[in-house]
Amino acid sequence: MKDNSKWKLTKQTASNLIVVLSGIAFYLVGTHFDAVHAQLSALLGIVAPFIWGIAFAYLLDGPVRFFQKLLHGRRKLAILITYLLAALVISVLLGLVIPQLVDSVMILINNVPMYLQRMDGFVAQLPIEVEGLEELLGSYSELVQKATALVSSLLPRLLDYGIAIGSGVVSAITAVISSIYMLLGKEKLLHQLRKVSVAFLPGPKATRLMEICRHANGVFSGFINGKIIDSVIIGLICFIVTSIFGMPFALLISVIVGATNVIPFFGPFIGAIPSIMILLIVNPISALEFGIFVIILQQFDGNILGPKILGDSTGLPALWVLVAIIVGGGLFGFAGMLVGVPTFAVLYSLSSDVLAARLHAKGLDTQGRPMISPDGAPASAGEAPPQQP
């Protein structure tokens, strides 16, 4: 009989096969990225309510644990209180903010012609002549008028908007219900995930996976909760300052700035662009003042407020923060900009651990220098690094 042992699937053969198949898959994804992205977008659209449910449950898990501790372990009652308080806070905020936002938007749309005439008069009084300024002003005025006409033309399509809103309401209700079930069954879900990891992974790898999950949870919760608190404070500061200086549409502008501030680094500038455009057609001087104020506000948030609230929750260098925002935003839009930074932070921490382990195996420290043993001789490969006093 022929010896077929050479055709047996060894560990090395399986590893080589996985590398080859991974390379082929990576090539196919890269060459058909648009089709893959479209399929992923369709899939995400289907499971979006459950993804939002996970997000709601994750954000509300902290308050639930707080009330559960106060109520001596009565988790169901803690969940009920948390959701009632969340609904009350959202209702109060919407009741206070939305009517004023709607009034501000309607006033802005109705007064566009008057604002444009005022802007023309302002430009005419300038003591200097800038080549192309009138053409630029005319183009901007035409753009605003077209945008106003577009809004007016879209008003008859209320039926389509109603269907879309109804679908969004159904998705929101599904997300809330799924988040409640996730919070109720949190311990059971976590226990099932632990069983799966232990069943399919060796003991050390399963333990390592649990450590990675705990680390990722700490990074995400610290970053997201910190950014929410930071954005609320920035929005309030913006509203107070713009109200003191008498800038028009202070509430509308502050909501825009506060909402976009959850995006790291670029957030204040992203919110400043539409705000400055609004102020530019209402009062160019206010637009200039607001632009200066946003720069000061961004510096205050980036150097004082943000570090105080967030601390070093990500441990990510500034360059990788920029990469995370651009890559995450390009792939997943606004949500990608928000979760891209903590995701990159976890990946960066894992890659740093792998690199440190590989260096240590070669007798090198994290800086790539030979490690020194307690007797002053270079440490051998694999030897435990000396304890620092």
Side-chain angles (χ1 to χ4, degrees):
M1 294 180 63
K2 293 183 177 180
D3 184 11
N4 295 325
S5 59
K6 62 180 181 179
W7 300 109
K8 290 183 179 179
L9 185 62
T10 63
K11 184 176 181 180
Q12 182 177 1
T13 304
S15 300
N16 294 336
L17 183 61
I18 291 174
V19 171
V20 172
L21 293 178
S22 300
I24 295 174
F26 184 78
Y27 171 77
L28 292 176
V29 170
T31 54
H32 301 81
F33 182 77
D34 292 338
V36 173
H37 188 269
Q39 293 298 323
L40 288 177
S41 299
L43 178 62
L44 288 176
I46 295 173
V47 300
F50 301 100
I51 295 176
W52 282 109
I54 294 173
F56 292 157
Y58 188 78
L59 290 175
L60 296 178
D61 181 59
V64 167
R65 286 187 282 109
F66 172 76
F67 286 114
Q68 184 178 359
K69 185 177 180 180
L70 290 180
L71 298 171
H72 305 288
R74 302 173 66 180
R75 186 169 183 82
K76 292 182 179 180
L77 182 58
I79 293 174
L80 177 61
I81 294 175
T82 300
Y83 274 86
L84 289 177
L85 286 178
L88 178 62
V89 171
I90 292 174
S91 300
V92 171
L93 290 177
L94 293 181
L96 293 175
V97 174
I98 285 185
Q100 296 188 47
L101 290 180
V102 172
D103 292 342
S104 299
V105 172
M106 295 306 298
I107 292 173
L108 180 63
I109 293 175
N110 294 331
N111 293 338
V112 164
M114 180 187 68
Y115 293 146
L116 292 176
Q117 291 179 1
R118 184 184 302 172
M119 189 173 176
D120 290 338
F122 174 79
V123 173
Q125 294 177 359
L126 291 178
I128 58 175
E129 294 183 4
V130 181
E131 184 177 358
L133 183 60
E134 294 183 358
E135 289 79 1
L136 178 62
L137 181 60
S139 301
Y140 181 78
S141 302
E142 183 180 357
L143 177 63
V144 174
Q145 290 174 351
K146 287 182 178 180
T148 305
L150 177 63
V151 173
S152 300
S153 65
L154 291 177
L155 290 178
R157 301 178 59 182
L158 293 178
L159 178 61
D160 295 337
Y161 298 152
I163 295 175
I165 292 174
S167 176
V169 170
V170 172
S171 298
I173 294 175
T174 304
V176 171
I177 294 175
S178 62
S179 68
I180 294 175
Y181 279 114
M182 291 175 191
L183 287 173
L184 286 172
K186 172 188 171 183
E187 298 301 327
K188 184 177 181 180
L189 289 173
L190 292 178
H191 180 66
Q192 290 174 343
L193 291 176
R194 293 190 191 98
K195 287 198 302 183
V196 170
S197 63
V198 172
F200 289 95
L201 294 174
K205 291 186 178 180
T207 302
R208 176 59 177 162
L209 178 60
M210 293 297 102
E211 292 175 355
I212 293 173
C213 291
R214 283 193 290 268
H215 175 64
N217 176 61
V219 172
F220 272 82
S221 61
F223 179 80
I224 294 177
N225 293 332
K227 285 303 294 183
I228 292 175
I229 296 173
D230 177 66
S231 298
V232 171
I233 295 175
I234 289 297
L236 290 175
I237 293 175
C238 183
F239 177 72
I240 293 172
V241 173
T242 51
S243 299
I244 291 175
F245 283 90
M247 296 183 186
F249 306 113
L251 180 61
L252 175 63
I253 291 171
S254 301
V255 170
I256 294 174
V257 171
T260 56
N261 190 70
V262 296
I263 301 175
F265 192 77
F266 293 113
F269 298 110
I270 294 175
I273 292 174
S275 302
I276 290 176
M277 291 182 65
I278 292 173
L279 291 174
L280 191 61
I281 63 174
V282 178
N283 188 343
I285 298 298
S286 296
L288 178 61
E289 295 173 347
F290 181 76
I292 297 173
F293 166 67
V294 165
I295 294 175
I296 299 174
L297 185 64
Q298 194 276 338
Q299 293 298 314
F300 168 74
D301 183 35
N303 298 306
I304 300 176
L305 182 62
K308 288 291 184 181
I309 295 177
L310 296 174
D312 194 21
S313 59
T314 62
L316 202 61
L319 175 62
W320 290 112
V321 171
L322 187 63
V323 172
I325 296 171
I326 295 175
V327 174
L331 292 177
F332 302 106
F334 182 84
M337 289 184 176
L338 178 59
V339 301
V341 172
T343 301
F344 264 70
V346 174
L347 295 177
Y348 181 83
S349 176
L350 294 177
S351 59
S352 298
D353 292 343
V354 172
L355 180 60
R358 297 295 296 269
L359 290 173
H360 176 258
K362 296 184 178 182
L364 304 174
D365 61 13
T366 56
Q367 304 300 322
R369 298 186 297 262
M371 293 186 294
I372 305 300
S373 62
D375 58 1
S380 59
E383 181 180 341
Q387 297 294 328
Q388 297 295 331

